[in-house]
Structures are given as structure tokens and as C-alpha cells.
Amino acid sequence: MNIKILTPEFVVFEGDVKSVLLPGKNGDFHIMKDHAAIVASLIGGKVRVFTNDIDEKYEKHFTKENEKESVFSFPVKSGVIEFSNNKGIILAE
């Protein structure tokens, strides 16, 4: 599945991922391949991207959390995600 993370200043990430874990208003939630379409608001926390590798141009924005599973995180203050047909856009602040 493809995820794009945008802030008002720059593109944080765009690429294929295994899944993404997000800080929602009602708790963290995990989006995986073939997830139902969803639009949800995000609160302050970390967006965690599960992928084999992050492109060089995006890696400066992420912290690698887990060597074994290749989990990368990006801090957000708030935001929204729209996910449909294995494509997601995260607008974050």
C-alpha cells in the first residue's frame, strides 16, 4: 500500500509500506493492506511507518524505532488521514 505524509512545509514521506500505526482521538489505530476506507483525525503522538526502508530524501524526518521490524516514526501535533483503495494521505502538523 502507498502512504504519503504531508505537512504545510514539506513532503515528509511518500512510498510503499506494510502498514502504518496512527495516534487517533480514540486511541492508536493500525492501517494495513486492504483496510476499509477511512477518514480520521489524529492527535499529538507518533505516526509509525512499517516498511523495509525509507528513501534517503525522507529519512532525516524519521527516527528508526526497531531494527528487526523496520519501524520508523515521525512526531505529529495533529492531523487527518484519508485512506482508500490501499492509498493513504496523512496531512500532519
Side-chain angles (χ1 to χ4, degrees), residues 3-16:
I3 294 291
K4 189 173 193 175
I5 304 173
L6 305 169
T7 69
E9 293 83 27
F10 53 89
V11 175
V12 175
F13 175 79
E14 182 173 11
D16 291 330

Side-chain angles (χ1 to χ4, degrees), residues 2 7 13 17-18 20-21 26-27 30 42-43 53-54 59 66 69 75 77-78 82 87 91 93:
N2 186 274
T7 69
F13 175 79
V17 302
K18 295 177 187 174
V20 61
L21 182 62
N26 294 321
H30 209 141
L42 306 176
I43 61 169
D53 199 20
I54 298 267
E59 68 183 5
N66 185 323
E69 294 181 28
K77 293 180 186 172
S78 64
E82 178 184 6
K87 292 183 182 176
L91 304 174
E93 197 170 359

Side-chain angles (χ1 to χ4, degrees), residues 1-91:
M1 63 185 215
N2 186 274
I3 294 291
K4 189 173 193 175
I5 304 173
L6 305 169
T7 69
E9 293 83 27
F10 53 89
V11 175
V12 175
F13 175 79
E14 182 173 11
D16 291 330
V17 302
K18 295 177 187 174
S19 65
V20 61
L21 182 62
L22 302 148
K25 287 192 174 195
N26 294 321
D28 289 353
F29 63 100
H30 209 141
I31 294 180
M32 302 172 91
K33 185 179 179 192
D34 298 327
H35 193 285
I38 186 173
V39 174
S41 26
L42 306 176
I43 61 169
K46 293 180 182 177
V47 170
R48 290 181 175 89
V49 176
F50 294 74
T51 184
N52 290 331
D53 199 20
I54 298 267
D55 190 290
E56 275 183 25
K57 62 184 172 186
Y58 303 126
E59 68 183 5
K60 64 184 174 190
H61 305 298
F62 287 88
T63 301
K64 189 164 188 177
E65 290 199 355
N66 185 323
E67 292 291 331
K68 186 178 178 184
E69 294 181 28
S70 298
V71 180
F72 300 87
S73 67
F74 175 74
V76 296
K77 293 180 186 172
S78 64
V80 66
I81 180 167
E82 178 184 6
F83 185 84
S84 178
N85 298 318
N86 287 320
K87 292 183 182 176
I89 296 177
I90 300 168
L91 304 174

